[in-house]
Amino acid sequence: MKKLLFLLVFTTFSFAQNASRKYVSHKWENNSLEIKTSDGTYKITPFSDKIIETSFIPNGENFNPISEAVVLKPSILNFKFTEDPNSLKLTSSKISVTVDKTIFNIQYFKGATRFLSEKNGYTKVNDSTETLDFIIEKTEKLYGGGARVLGMDRRGNRLQLYNRASYGYGTRAELMNFCIPLVFSSKMYAVHFDNSAIGYLDLDSKKDNTLTYETTSGKKTYQVIIGDSWDDLVSNYTILTGKQPLPPRWAFGNFSSRFGYHSQEEVEKTIRKFDDDKIPVDAIILDLYWFGKTIKGTLGNLDWDKETFPNPEKMIANLNAKGVKTILITEPFILTTSSKWQEAVAKKILATDKFGNPFTYDFYFGNTGIIDIFKPEGKAWFWNIYKNLIKQGVGGLWGDLGEPEVFPRKAITFGGKADEIHNIYGHNWAKLIAEGYKTDFPTQRPFILMRAGYSGSQRFGMIPWSGDVSRSWDGLSGQTEIALQMGMQGMAYMHSDLGGFAGDYFDNELYLRWLQYGVFNPIFRPHAQEEVASEVAYKDVVTKANAKKLVELRYQMLPYNYTLAYLNATSGKPLMRPLFFEEPNNEKLKTISNEYFWGNDFLVKPIVTSGVTTTEVYFPKSSNWFDFYTGKKYLAGTTTSVKVNQDYIPTFVRGNVFYPMTKVVQNTSYYQNSNLDLHFYFEGKSSSEREFYFDNGTTPNAENNTADHEILNCSTSYSKTLFTITIESKTASDEILKNGKKGIIYLNNFVSNPKSILLNGKKIGFKYDLKSKKLNFNYVHTGFKTAIKINL
């Protein structure tokens, strides 16, 4: 099989050339520059003023316009094309390209600054290897390549691009379930290699300032992306590959999950336990026992085992009545021992061998075939399974083993050979489900939990998780890196099995530290092998009480967390963000992953080792920070040793901005947008502003339809005698606006006892404690605008 390599060389800029390549001719038409050379054709196409795509088509090959990753279409842009005897130029106000005809060199510019340059461009090294190489500065830090545990700066590693599970991983995992051919530079640009076949991404492992992308087949296309900030760069990547739709609101609640629940009785007993102990819960996840009594031999049944689940429809209906969703695991493997095997063979929905027979092979679970989801018949057959389950009331779907876990290269699918489509199997599996929902259940937001994906999988609503992590401190230690890296790469809902999955290690301190971290994660989902209970409801009395507080805090955070989800859906901003997003020129922050922003206004420092009593925290220089639990103030731009409490991890909120919270509910079906408390740490600054998002939690695409949501603006202004709070519904659906908002406003670090407080011109009562400097009062917001004036 032919092997492709794309090389990026990291060094100081210098001119380089492919001595054998000669410029022949060019044409600029239809928003694309085509350059004919002695050995092929370059096609350079602007997609926006911050995104340019470059392809090389060797002589004898045709351009392949199909992309599994890219959804953005090139548009007619204000690019200026110029030429002179020595060069061709495409120029915009943001990104520009210069092609040197004399030595045939392609260079990319931000304004007048060169940031990336091809070295030799395309080179056919031998019959099995082709390369593209580039020159950039050697000081850059490198991020990307999917989910790994390597350290935040991944330069120096050679990354295999072959989605594969890493069972029981801890402090290092070189190969995992999400392999994305994408590189971010600390200079705030990215290169995405638009080729989905397997290969390698070598991030200068030989220490010769070279980054290498290598693949067994595919096109030689890459997109260069720039940004004015990290937020802008990530946004531009998600404009290119698609944005994550807003998940259902219940996805931000607590999950009951383990490997696994063996019976209907066990499922119902577990939820009763949560209810009896008044521990909030929104969903229960059923692992493979729902379709069989044993781990081996049953994959592919894909229907209820009626001996252990005698009345699943009634079970699901009762759970739904309580506000608890049922999520079912599925796998793409149809074992030859499964009840669906003969049907799968007869309907020809399996990958085949070269003779057209079902391709079968052995792996851990048994002798198997795999569903050909690239074949229309296979896709329709699989979706029909899901459609029937959703009609029974199933609220979410879990796709496991979708790397695929074992997929021999001799297998052939409608979309290509195994190695050509391996990395996009999970991607297309999620696409199958997302498209099925749009067609058959257009009023529902899907919940699609997946273990493997590719560039752009976020646009299908995929909720990724970090695989079978070790239930250990080592396992916990790498989770922030994985989540931060994947958030940058568009997969903002990357999360972990809280408490750890693999092993029977029993450590309540570890369990609680993991849940404390999970409060500030996109998804709060404890999950583990059944030897040690993962559910909060099944813990001992002391651990349960502590864990329950964390679950309750998760629900109190719902208005803030849901706003982060909205921002991700509309702008691509990750929910978890590296510190260098805010200070891109701070060299010390470019490799930090043990501290992060939760949204814009929370600063979180997970505790990932046992027995920690103090830890150092860096407080970003843009504002002062306040301990979320104690209110203690920390100055901007300082690094401080802080005491560590056993009940929570160090968490801080930005001064002088509002953050919203709500009342604890048993699950989100009881949640009301109208119940809203507002918290603020007073800094005496002239003004501040934040916006929060609300909708009904279920309507698809509500984030993009102003008639289906509310944007609540909360702003302040300050003078020596007056502090004003303005609450304004900028856009609002009739239902949300009718119910308004009510709750308590908590002003912390407030310097003096007010003379009076007026809400829309009427005096209201308040409480002020001089010692703690805390001021609070009830408020009601109705209509579009509420003004609160605090006279000092």
Side-chain angles (χ1 to χ4, degrees), residues 29 32 34 44 56 125 166 174 203 279 322 355 402 409 413 430 483 564 649 675 695 706 747 763:
E29 62 182 18
S32 185
E34 290 192 8
I44 302 174
F56 184 78
V125 178
S166 181
E174 297 182 9
L203 309 183
I279 300 169
K322 291 174 176 284
F355 303 108
R409 62 174 47 190
T413 74
L564 302 189
I649 56 176
N675 288 333
D695 65 23
T706 57
L747 299 180
K763 272 191 176 184

Side-chain angles (χ1 to χ4, degrees), residues 173-187:
E174 297 182 9
L175 181 62
M176 293 180 65
N177 318 68
F178 291 84
C179 296
I180 297 177
L182 171 67
V183 180
F184 283 94
S185 164
S186 56
K187 290 178 65 180

Side-chain angles (χ1 to χ4, degrees), residues 335-353:
L335 298 189
T336 56
T337 56
S338 75
S339 60
K340 291 282 195 296
W341 174 253
Q342 293 301 328
E343 178 185 343
V345 172
K347 294 191 174 182
K348 298 182 178 181
I349 57 92
L350 300 170
T352 66
D353 60 22

Side-chain angles (χ1 to χ4, degrees), residues 97-109:
V97 184
T98 296
V99 180
D100 189 319
K101 294 191 290 186
T102 60
I103 60 173
F104 207 88
N105 176 257
I106 300 178
Q107 303 168 52
Y108 298 87
F109 293 81

Side-chain angles (χ1 to χ4, degrees), residues 121-421:
Y122 170 79
T123 303
K124 185 172 183 177
V125 178
N126 53 47
D127 288 342
S128 62
T129 303
E130 299 170 285
T131 65
L132 285 170
D133 57 8
F134 302 74
I135 302 170
I136 61 174
E137 293 181 359
K138 66 180 181 180
T139 57
E140 298 171 51
K141 306 294 189 295
L142 301 180
Y143 317 102
R148 324 265 175 171
V149 184
L150 301 168
M152 198 64 184
D153 177 11
R154 294 178 168 178
R155 189 168 182 168
N157 294 283
R158 184 172 185 257
L159 310 179
Q160 187 176 4
L161 298 176
Y162 188 88
N163 289 352
R164 177 179 289 164
S166 181
Y167 180 82
Y169 69 91
T171 57
R172 187 171 180 85
E174 297 182 9
L175 181 62
M176 293 180 65
N177 318 68
F178 291 84
C179 296
I180 297 177
L182 171 67
V183 180
F184 283 94
S185 164
S186 56
K187 290 178 65 180
M188 281 197 296
Y189 72 88
V191 182
H192 175 251
F193 296 100
D194 192 5
N195 184 37
S196 57
I198 67 172
Y200 287 87
L201 191 61
D202 189 324
L203 309 183
D204 194 25
S205 68
K206 297 178 181 178
K207 309 300 181 185
D208 59 356
N209 297 320
T210 303
L211 177 146
T212 307
Y213 171 74
E214 178 181 342
T215 185
T216 59
S217 60
K219 57 184 183 177
K220 294 152 280 284
T221 295
Y222 63 92
Q223 292 91 25
V224 178
I225 310 159
I226 64 171
D228 298 327
S229 65
W230 276 106
D231 281 345
D232 185 45
L233 177 58
V234 172
S235 178
N236 291 333
Y237 171 71
T238 59
I239 288 171
L240 178 71
T241 61
K243 289 186 167 57
Q244 177 109 18
L246 196 61
R249 185 164 57 206
W250 59 260
F252 298 92
N254 178 33
F255 290 72
S256 177
S257 183
R258 67 160 60 188
F259 180 26
Y261 301 110
H262 294 259
S263 67
Q264 179 173 335
E265 181 182 8
E266 191 173 353
V267 169
E268 293 169 341
K269 175 185 174 184
T270 298
I271 295 303
R272 280 198 303 271
K273 182 67 173 166
F274 275 93
D275 288 344
D276 291 346
D277 292 336
K278 293 183 171 53
I279 300 169
V281 64
D282 259 273
I284 186 164
I285 301 179
L286 277 60
D287 214 307
L288 50 73
Y289 297 117
W290 74 272
F291 54 71
K293 301 177 185 65
T294 59
I295 294 175
K296 295 183 179 182
T298 61
L299 292 193
N301 285 348
L302 295 173
D303 200 359
W304 296 96
D305 184 326
K306 289 299 185 70
E307 290 185 7
T308 49
F309 291 85
N311 196 341
E313 292 89 348
K314 186 175 187 298
M315 177 191 76
I316 294 170
N318 290 340
L319 291 173
N320 281 333
K322 291 174 176 284
V324 178
K325 305 299 182 183
T326 303
I327 301 170
L328 300 183
I329 194 173
T330 56
E331 296 88 0
F333 301 98
I334 309 296
L335 298 189
T336 56
T337 56
S338 75
S339 60
K340 291 282 195 296
W341 174 253
Q342 293 301 328
E343 178 185 343
V345 172
K347 294 191 174 182
K348 298 182 178 181
I349 57 92
L350 300 170
T352 66
D353 60 22
K354 62 183 179 180
F355 303 108
N357 300 314
F359 187 90
T360 58
Y361 52 96
D362 293 326
F363 78 140
Y364 174 79
F365 296 92
N367 185 256
T368 194
I370 188 169
I371 301 170
D372 186 352
I373 60 172
F374 301 93
K375 187 176 184 180
E377 294 85 350
K379 182 178 179 180
W381 184 87
F382 209 2
W383 172 246
N384 194 55
I385 298 287
Y386 288 128
K387 183 163 65 172
N388 290 334
L389 292 171
I390 297 166
K391 286 180 177 178
Q392 292 175 18
V394 168
L397 300 170
W398 172 13
D400 199 14
L401 313 182
E403 296 78 23
E405 180 159 299
V406 179
F407 198 20
R409 62 174 47 190
K410 291 183 179 180
I412 300 170
T413 74
F414 188 80
K417 296 178 181 179
D419 285 355
E420 294 172 332
I421 55 85

Side-chain angles (χ1 to χ4, degrees), residues 505-569:
Y505 181 62
F506 183 82
D507 185 339
N508 283 332
E509 181 190 6
L510 169 66
Y511 177 78
L512 289 170
R513 288 299 190 204
W514 215 315
L515 265 63
Q516 290 163 9
Y517 162 65
V519 170
F520 306 99
N521 269 208
I523 301 292
F524 188 93
R525 186 184 56 83
H527 179 70
Q529 294 171 333
E530 60 186 329
E531 288 81 4
V532 180
S534 58
E535 304 93 336
V536 173
Y538 284 133
K539 290 299 182 180
D540 64 84
V541 173
V542 174
T543 305
K544 182 196 300 184
N546 289 327
K548 180 181 177 182
K549 293 176 184 177
L550 300 172
V551 175
E552 291 175 339
L553 177 57
R554 176 73 178 183
Y555 280 79
Q556 289 177 284
M557 292 285 294
L558 187 56
Y560 182 84
N561 295 350
Y562 203 56
T563 297
L564 302 189
Y566 163 74
L567 292 173
N568 174 255

